[in-house]
């Protein structure tokens, strides 16, 4: 949509979707909203993961986006996952904020990226009008955009559990340091029983990290036990502006950080008690390819170079 028609288009869509909007933002204490996405005819699924990106093209965001387009074409991706902090520094001011186009629509222009984007909220998103990012009105501006607080995405061989992690973190609400965080509603973070071959949880905040933010203690206390109890395979996050792969020492969980969508190079490294497989303190993104029995993770830098590959396989057992 052209810039001059941006506001008019939004308001027209707003009138049509206002009732839908109301139903989406009302939290449910019973169960998470469920979405579905088909897989390829050969039974595989491929996607890209990027986080901490929305800077109107600055800090190499455009370079990362260009390489995402190339890799997306090579892998014939099915969709893109955003791990939050979608719009810097302070989220969106509302559904007519031009930052939505400037940081999203006009940046990720490659044909291969014209797929559904599934997004979670980050702490910087909460500094603005958080309901704007959740509004289906934005889907009328760019149909790729889909952001909810917490939801489940089923893609036959895998269940993705998208979790809004910001409400877990105490200091955002106790010591705001002059920032306002827009939090309305409750979070139902329970993960439902899943029969999918793979279970992937996506959140913004780190559980394990060797970079500047490090481990998030609240997620260790509240979320990690749930992940372990339900046999989650991968926890995928942003928040730290880097790329990481850490293996849990006491469970099969792999911690994958993809927060290098724009501003990076923090210059901080703090060793983890778990096994560090890969760390890159710079811009980039991640791909994930899945079949029923194998998962392939690849990290790329802003030039599209492969930095790290990792594969895991599993045997499937018939359910009784």
């Amino acid at each position: 949509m052209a810039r001059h028609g941006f506001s008019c288009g939004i308001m027209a869509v707003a009138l049509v979707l206002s009732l839908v909007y109301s139903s989406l933002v009302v939290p449910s204490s019973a169960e998470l909203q469920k979405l579905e996405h088909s897989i390829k005819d050969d039974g595989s699924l491929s996607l890209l993961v990027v986080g901490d990106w929305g800077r109107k093209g600055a800090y190499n965001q455009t370079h990362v986006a260009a390489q995402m387009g190339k890799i997306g074409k090579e892998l014939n991706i099915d969709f893109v996952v955003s791990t939050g902090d979608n719009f810097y520094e302070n989220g969106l001011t509302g559904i007519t904020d031009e930052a939505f186009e400037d940081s999203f629509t006009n940046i990720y222009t490659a044909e291969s990226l014209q797929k559904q984007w599934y997004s979670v909220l980050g702490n910087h998103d909460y500094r603005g009008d958080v309901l704007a990012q959740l509004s289906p009105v934005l889907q009328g501006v760019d149909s790729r955009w889909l952001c909810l607080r917490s939801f489940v995405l089923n893609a036959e061989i895998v269940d993705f559990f998208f979790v809004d992690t910001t409400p877990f973190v105490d200091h955002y609400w106790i010591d705001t340091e002059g920032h306002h965080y827009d939090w309305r509603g409750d979070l139902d973070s329970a993960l439902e029983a899943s029969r999918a071959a793979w279970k992937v949880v996506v959140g913004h905040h780190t559980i394990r990290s060797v970079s500047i933010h490090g481990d998030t203690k609240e997620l260790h206390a509240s979320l990690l036990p749930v992940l372990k109890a339900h046999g989650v395979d991968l926890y995928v996050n942003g928040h730290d502006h880097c790329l990481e792969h850490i293996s849990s020492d006491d469970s099969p969980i792999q911690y994958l950080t993809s927060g290098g969508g724009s501003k990076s190079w923090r210059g901080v490294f703090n060793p983890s008690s778990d096994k560090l497989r890969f760390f890159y303190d710079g811009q980039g993104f991640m791909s994930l390819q899945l079949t029923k029995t194998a998962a392939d993770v690849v990290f790329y830098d802003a030039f599209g170079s492969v930095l790290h590959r990792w594969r895991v396989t599993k045997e499937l057992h018939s359910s009784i």
Side-chain angles (χ1 to χ4, degrees):
M1 181 178 293
R3 174 59 56 82
H4 67 271
F6 183 79
S7 297
C8 293
I10 288 182
M11 296 312 296
V13 174
L15 293 174
V16 176
L17 295 178
S18 60
L19 292 177
V20 177
Y21 172 46
S22 299
S23 66
L24 283 177
V25 300
V26 175
S28 169
S29 60
E31 62 180 34
L32 300 179
Q33 183 172 350
K34 297 180 182 178
L35 306 176
E36 293 186 356
H37 198 112
S38 60
I39 60 177
K40 296 182 176 69
D41 291 340
D42 64 0
S44 68
L45 183 78
S46 59
L47 59 133
L48 299 182
V49 182
V50 65
D52 304 83
W53 42 267
R55 296 182 185 271
K56 301 180 180 180
Y59 296 99
N60 288 334
Q61 185 190 1
T62 53
H63 293 292
V64 174
Q67 297 305 322
M68 287 175 62
K70 293 178 181 179
I71 302 301
K73 182 179 181 180
E74 290 178 13
L75 301 181
N76 187 22
I77 60 168
D78 297 285
F79 55 84
V80 180
V81 166
S82 171
T83 58
D85 277 1
N86 306 312
F87 301 98
Y88 283 95
E89 284 284 330
N90 300 308
L92 294 177
T93 59
I95 58 175
T96 60
D97 191 339
E98 293 179 350
F100 179 76
E101 279 192 317
D102 292 338
S103 289
F104 178 60
T105 302
N106 297 338
I107 301 297
Y108 302 100
T109 56
E111 183 178 354
S112 68
L113 303 182
Q114 307 307 304
K115 305 290 178 67
Q116 188 70 65
W117 283 55
Y118 297 102
S119 305
V120 292
L121 296 164
N123 51 293
H124 280 267
D125 299 314
Y126 269 90
R127 292 182 182 181
D129 181 357
V130 74
L131 293 185
Q133 289 193 51
L134 300 175
S135 173
V137 170
L138 292 185
Q139 296 171 30
V141 179
D142 192 320
S143 61
R144 295 177 293 171
W145 183 255
L146 194 152
C147 183
L148 301 172
R149 289 199 193 276
S150 295
F151 61 100
V152 178
L153 174 64
N154 173 257
E156 297 184 42
I157 59 174
V158 54
D159 276 340
F160 292 89
F161 296 84
F162 290 78
V163 179
D164 186 6
T165 57
T166 299
F168 282 95
V169 183
D170 295 338
H171 79 82
Y172 294 140
W173 320 113
I174 297 172
D175 182 11
T176 63
E177 299 179 347
H179 298 299
H180 168 70
Y181 292 89
D182 183 356
W183 168 240
R184 313 174 209 185
D186 299 322
L187 170 66
D188 178 2
S189 62
L191 298 176
E192 298 182 5
S194 170
R195 296 181 180 179
W198 300 94
K199 298 178 186 179
V200 180
V201 174
V202 180
H204 177 65
H205 290 82
T206 58
I207 290 182
R208 284 289 193 212
S209 175
V210 300
S211 193
I212 189 168
H213 290 300
D215 300 351
T216 305
K217 63 181 179 62
E218 294 91 341
L219 297 189
H220 274 264
S222 301
L223 185 59
L224 184 55
V226 179
L227 272 55
K228 291 181 176 179
H230 291 295
V232 167
D233 299 288
L234 310 175
Y235 177 73
V236 182
N237 62 273
H239 197 43
D240 266 333
H241 298 181
C242 60
L243 306 175
E244 299 181 76
H245 176 195
I246 298 174
S247 293
S248 172
D249 280 342
D250 61 1
S251 77
I253 298 174
Q254 306 295 317
Y255 305 105
L256 304 171
T257 297
S258 184
S262 57
K263 189 176 183 179
S264 297
W265 306 109
R266 298 298 184 90
V268 174
F269 175 81
N270 297 304
S272 171
S273 59
D274 285 346
K275 182 178 181 179
L276 177 64
R277 294 181 179 269
F278 165 71
F279 172 65
Y280 178 67
D281 187 28
Q283 289 104 347
F285 59 100
M286 185 188 97
S287 70
L288 175 61
Q289 295 177 276
L290 293 164
T291 66
K292 279 188 176 181
T293 57
D296 289 280
V297 173
V298 183
F299 286 93
Y300 310 84
D301 66 13
F303 303 99
S305 300
V306 173
L307 301 176
H308 174 66
R309 294 181 183 272
W310 179 80
R311 162 175 270 232
V312 63
T313 60
K314 64 168 61 180
E315 294 183 6
L316 298 183
H317 302 281
S318 299
S319 59
I320 298 176

